[in-house]
Amino acid sequence: MKQDEKITAVWQMYENGKDYFNRTQLRDKIVKQRMYYEGKQYRDGNDEYPKPIINICRFVPRNKISNILGTPVSISYKTYDSDVNVEAFNHFANYIMKEIRQEEADSRAIRDGAVEGTYIYHYYWDNEATGVMGVKEGAVRVEVLNPLNVMFANPNESDEQKQKYILIVHRKEVEAVKKI
C-alpha cells in the first residue's frame, strides 16, 4: 500500500468515527452533561437576569466519585504453591503504579466516567522515558483519554480486543508529522 493510500485510509477511518459521533449525537450529549455538571444549564444567551442554580447535578457525581476513590486499588499476586515467593512481583507492581502515577489517572478517570458516562485508559510504551536511576530507557505510561478522541472500528463491539482498529486522535506539530 502506497503512502498516499495509507493516509487516505486513516482519514476515512477518522471520518467514519466522526460520522458515528454525529449520528448518535454523542458529542452533543457529552458536552451537555459536562455543562450540567459545571452548573451552566442555562445557555440561552439571555444573561440579563441572574438564574438561581442549585446544582444537584454536581453533588451526585461527586458523591459517587468519593465513594469509589475512598477504596484504594492495588495489584496483589498470590500463588497456590507455598514455595513460590511473590513478594517481588507485588513490590514491582506497586513500584510501577507509583511511577506511572496511577492514582492520579484513576482520579481523573472516575471523574470523567461520572460526568461524561465513560472513561478510557491508554497504556503505552514511551521510548524516551528513563527509569529512576536513568539506566533503562523506555517505560510504560498511562493517560486518560477524552472519549470523543477515541474511535473504534465497530462501536457496537464491547470487547476492544476484537476491534480491527482503534484511532486515538491527538494533535502533533507539523515538524513531528513530517518526521513520521
Side-chain angles (χ1 to χ4, degrees), residues 35-43 47 49-58:
M35 287 175 60
Y36 268 84
Y37 178 77
E38 293 172 354
K40 300 176 184 173
Q41 293 91 316
Y42 303 110
R43 287 296 210 196
D47 293 331
Y49 302 107
K51 295 170 177 68
I53 297 173
I54 301 171
N55 196 349
I56 62 169
C57 295
R58 183 178 294 162

Side-chain angles (χ1 to χ4, degrees), residues 45-116:
N46 182 4
D47 293 331
E48 185 177 344
Y49 302 107
K51 295 170 177 68
I53 297 173
I54 301 171
N55 196 349
I56 62 169
C57 295
R58 183 178 294 162
F59 173 75
V60 173
R62 280 185 175 174
N63 191 22
K64 290 186 177 286
I65 291 167
S66 65
N67 285 335
I68 293 169
L69 292 177
T71 307
V73 177
S74 64
I75 296 174
S76 179
Y77 292 95
K78 295 184 180 183
T79 180
Y80 293 115
D81 187 357
S82 60
D83 295 336
V84 177
N85 184 3
V86 294
E87 194 58 37
F89 291 113
N90 289 328
H91 180 70
F92 180 72
N94 289 333
Y95 169 78
I96 292 296
M97 298 220 1
K98 286 178 184 169
E99 182 184 5
I100 65 174
R101 298 160 67 177
Q102 184 67 46
E103 282 187 19
E104 291 176 28
D106 291 343
S107 179
R108 177 164 179 226
I110 299 302
R111 182 182 42 86
D112 287 356
V115 174
E116 297 173 357

Side-chain angles (χ1 to χ4, degrees), residues 26-36 116 148:
L26 190 60
R27 183 175 308 279
D28 297 335
K29 290 175 184 175
I30 288 178
V31 168
K32 193 174 197 177
Q33 287 169 203
R34 168 106 10 226
M35 287 175 60
Y36 268 84
E116 297 173 357
L148 296 175

